[in-house]
C-alpha cells in the first residue's frame, strides 16, 4: 500500500474503515490504541488522497469513498507518475545524445549509432531511404497542428507504400488538426488504407521511428536548420519507443467528430493542457505553438478557463486550479522537429 501513497498509519486506519465505514475519530483511536490527534491527522491524510470524505449525515465523522474507485484513482495516479518519469528518462537520453553532437561539429563526430544530416537534400534522402526500407512499423509524432500541403503531399506515397507492404503505420497529431480540413482529410485517408491515427493536445517532440530500430529527431528542437539526427543505438531508440508507446496510450482516436472527451472536472484534454502550460509559466505565444493553434484561440481558451474558475488574474487562476485539483499530468510536454514518414525536409526547417 505504500506504493499508493499510504504510510503505515494510513493503511491501518483505512483497514479499520473498510470494516467499519462509519467509525469516528474516537473509535479509530481506541481501536488502534492511539492518541486522538494521531487518528485525526491520519484521517486528514486519507482525505487528501480522496479515500474518505466528510459525512453529510453525521458531523464530525467521515464516510469511506467506495474503495473500488478510491484505490483505483490512487493506482491511476501512480501509473501517471511512472509514465512521466519514464518520459523524463527518454527525454534525458535524447538530450544527452544531442549534446554529444556539440562535442565535434565535424564528420568525425558521426558514428554508426548516431548520424547527423544537414541540408534539405540530405534530410529528404534519409526520410525516403528509411521510409522505403521500413519492414514492420513506422511511428510518428507530428506536432505543430495543421500540416502544410507540401508535407502532406510528400508523406502520402511513402505512407501508402508502407501500408501496402504490411508495415504498421501509426501517427499521433495534435488535437488542433481537427480545425484543418486538409490534415483531417489526410488522417481519414490514412485510417482508410489501414494506418492508425490518434491525437493529443501536446506532443513531446517531432520524431519518426522506423522498425523500432532507428529514430529521426531534430539536432535542436528550437532550431530545425541545424538538421536531424538518425539514431540507431539500442538504448536511445528503446527509450524513444517507450515514449511513443506511452504517449499513444494516452492519446485519443482521431475521428470526424470535433468533440473531445471531457475529464471528470469538465475539462477537455486541450483545456487541461492549457492550464498545465499556464501553470508552468508559459506565455500565450508558447502555449499556442505547443498546442498548434493561433495565439487568438489560445487566449480565448485561457479567458474561458479564467471565467469558469472565477479568477481575475492568471496567478489567481493557477491557485484556484490547483486548489480544485484541475492541474494534472495533461499530455506530454516539449516539442521538436520532424513531421511525417514522407515529410519534405523543407517543411522540417519551416515548421520546427
Amino acid at each position: 500500500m505504500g506504493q499508493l501513497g499510504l504510510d503505515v498509519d494510513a493503511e491501518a486506519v483505512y483497514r479499520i474503515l473498510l470494516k467499519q465505514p462509519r467509525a469516528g475519530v474516537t473509535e479509530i483511536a481506541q481501536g488502534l490504541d492511539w492518541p486522538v490527534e494521531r487518528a485525526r491527522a491520519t484521517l486528514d491524510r486519507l482525505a487528501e488522497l480522496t479515500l474518505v470524505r466528510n459525512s453529510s449525515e453525521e458531523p464530525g465523522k467521515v464516510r469511506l469513498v467506495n474503495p473500488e474507485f478510491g484505490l483505483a484513482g490512487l493506482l491511476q495516479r501512480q501509473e501517471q507518475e511512472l509514465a512521466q518519469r519514464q518520459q523524463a528518462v527518454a527525454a534525458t537520453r535524447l538530450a544527452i545524445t544531442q549534446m554529444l553532437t556539440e562535442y565535434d561539429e565535424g564528420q568525425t563526430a558521426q558514428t554508426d549509432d548516431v548520424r547527423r544530416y544537414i541540408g534539405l537534400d540530405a534530410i529528404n534522402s534519409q526520410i525516403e531511404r528509411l521510409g522505403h526500407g521500413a519492414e514492420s512499423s513506422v511511428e510518428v509524432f507530428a506536432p505543430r497542428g495543421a500540416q502544410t500541403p507540401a508535407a502532406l503531399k510528400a508523406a502520402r506515397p511513402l505512407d501508402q507504400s508502407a501500408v501496402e507492404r504490411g508495415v504498421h503505420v501509426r501517427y499521433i497529431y495534435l488535437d488542433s488538426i481537427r480545425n484543418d480540413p486538409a490534415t483531417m482529410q489526410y488522417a481519414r485517408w490514412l485510417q482508410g488504407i489501414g494506418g492508425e491515427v490518434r491525437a493529443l493536445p501536446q506532443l513531446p517532440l517531432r520524431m519518426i521511428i522506423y522498425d523500432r530500430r532507428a529514430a529521426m529527431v531534430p539536432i535542436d528542437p528550437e532550431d530545425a536548420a541545424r538538421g536531424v539526427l538518425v539514431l540507431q543505438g539500442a538504448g536511445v531508440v528503446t527509450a524513444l519507443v517507450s515514449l511513443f508507446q506511452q504517449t499513444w496510450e494516452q492519446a485519443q482516436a482521431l475521428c470526424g467528430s470535433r468533440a473531445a472527451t471531457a475529464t471528470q472536472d469538465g475539462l477537455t484534454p486541450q483545456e487541461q493542457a492549457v492550464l498545465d502550460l499556464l501553470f508552468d509559466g508559459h506565455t500565450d505565444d508558447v502555449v499556442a505553438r505547443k498546442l498548434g493553434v493561433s495565439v487568438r484561440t489560445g487566449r480565448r481558451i485561457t479567458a474561458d478557463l479564467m471565467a469558469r474558475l472565477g479568477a481575475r488574474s492568471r496567478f489567481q487562476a493557477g491557485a484556484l486550479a490547483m486548489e480544485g485539483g484541475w492541474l494534472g499530468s495533461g499530455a506530454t510536454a516539449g516539442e521538436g522537429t520532424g513531421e511525417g514518414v514522407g515529410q519534405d525536409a523543407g517543411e522540417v526547417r519551416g515548421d520546427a
Side-chain angles (χ1 to χ4, degrees):
M1 299 296 284
Q3 295 296 324
L4 295 179
L6 275 71
D7 56 23
V8 175
D9 283 6
E11 182 176 351
V13 172
Y14 190 68
R15 290 186 180 278
I16 285 182
L17 290 172
L18 287 174
K19 298 177 182 178
Q20 305 174 54
R22 295 288 185 175
V25 176
T26 302
E27 296 167 278
I28 292 172
Q30 291 174 347
L32 293 170
D33 194 21
W34 286 357
V36 171
E37 292 76 13
R38 182 178 177 183
R40 181 176 290 109
T42 305
L43 281 174
D44 289 342
R45 171 61 178 155
L46 291 175
E48 292 175 359
L49 295 172
T50 323
L51 293 176
V52 300
R53 297 187 185 278
N54 291 327
S55 172
S56 300
E57 299 177 355
E58 301 176 76
K61 288 190 175 184
V62 299
R63 66 175 177 84
L64 187 69
V65 174
N66 187 319
E68 180 180 354
F69 302 110
L71 293 176
L74 289 184
L75 181 59
Q76 183 180 27
R77 188 180 308 171
Q78 292 296 313
E79 290 173 340
Q80 290 175 342
E81 291 176 359
L82 176 61
Q84 289 176 331
R85 288 195 293 271
Q86 290 176 327
Q87 290 172 359
V89 170
T92 301
R93 284 182 182 273
L94 179 58
I96 291 173
T97 301
Q98 292 170 330
M99 288 175 64
L100 290 177
T101 66
E102 303 284 350
Y103 180 71
D104 184 355
E105 288 294 338
Q107 293 298 315
T108 57
Q110 305 216 38
T111 68
D112 289 339
D113 289 345
V114 181
R115 305 291 296 180
R116 180 173 58 250
Y117 298 94
I118 299 173
L120 304 184
D121 291 340
I123 296 172
N124 279 335
S125 294
Q126 291 309 306
I127 290 172
E128 292 169 357
R129 178 181 69 84
L130 292 168
H132 283 302
E135 298 177 349
S136 60
S137 65
V138 176
E139 295 159 319
V140 184
F141 281 160
R144 297 289 185 176
Q147 308 296 294
T148 65
L152 299 176
K153 181 179 179 180
R156 184 181 289 263
L158 286 178
D159 285 340
Q160 183 166 2
S161 175
V163 172
E164 290 175 350
R165 296 196 310 272
V167 174
H168 189 193
V169 177
R170 297 195 293 177
Y171 273 73
I172 305 180
Y173 287 106
L174 291 183
D175 279 333
S176 59
I177 74 161
R178 299 175 194 274
N179 300 317
D180 183 65
T183 309
M184 281 298 294
Q185 182 181 25
Y186 187 87
R188 294 191 187 97
W189 168 81
L190 183 58
Q191 288 178 315
I193 66 171
E196 292 185 72
V197 181
R198 293 188 181 181
L200 272 177
Q202 297 184 74
L203 285 170
L205 78 163
R206 201 177 297 264
M207 174 180 73
I208 316 173
I209 303 175
Y210 302 92
D211 292 336
R212 302 201 161 188
R213 294 198 300 265
M216 179 176 287
V217 297
I219 290 177
D220 182 352
E222 301 303 325
D223 184 7
R226 293 193 59 195
V228 300
L229 297 177
V230 174
L231 311 174
Q232 293 182 294
V236 175
V237 175
T238 298
L240 293 176
V241 169
S242 177
L243 174 62
F244 181 90
Q245 189 58 39
Q246 290 162 10
T247 307
W248 179 262
E249 291 170 0
Q250 295 170 10
Q252 296 182 345
L254 184 67
C255 58
S257 173
R258 294 171 59 90
T261 303
T263 66
Q264 61 182 1
D265 299 309
L267 301 173
T268 66
Q270 189 177 67
E271 289 171 336
Q272 180 71 69
V274 169
L275 269 182
D276 292 339
L277 289 168
L278 290 175
F279 185 75
D280 287 340
H282 293 297
T283 64
D284 288 336
D285 288 348
V286 174
V287 170
R289 178 158 51 85
K290 286 182 177 291
L291 269 61
V293 299
S294 67
V295 174
R296 181 178 180 181
T297 297
R299 287 174 177 164
R300 177 181 54 76
I301 296 172
T302 299
D304 180 62
L305 288 170
M306 289 177 63
R308 287 161 63 182
L309 286 164
R312 297 181 179 178
S313 68
R314 294 189 178 202
F315 178 82
Q316 185 183 23
L320 292 172
M322 175 175 284
E323 181 181 342
W326 281 24
L327 296 176
S329 60
T332 47
E335 54 184 77
T337 92
E339 192 89 23
V341 179
Q343 163 81 40
D344 182 80
E347 301 306 321
V348 175
R349 297 190 61 173
D351 285 355

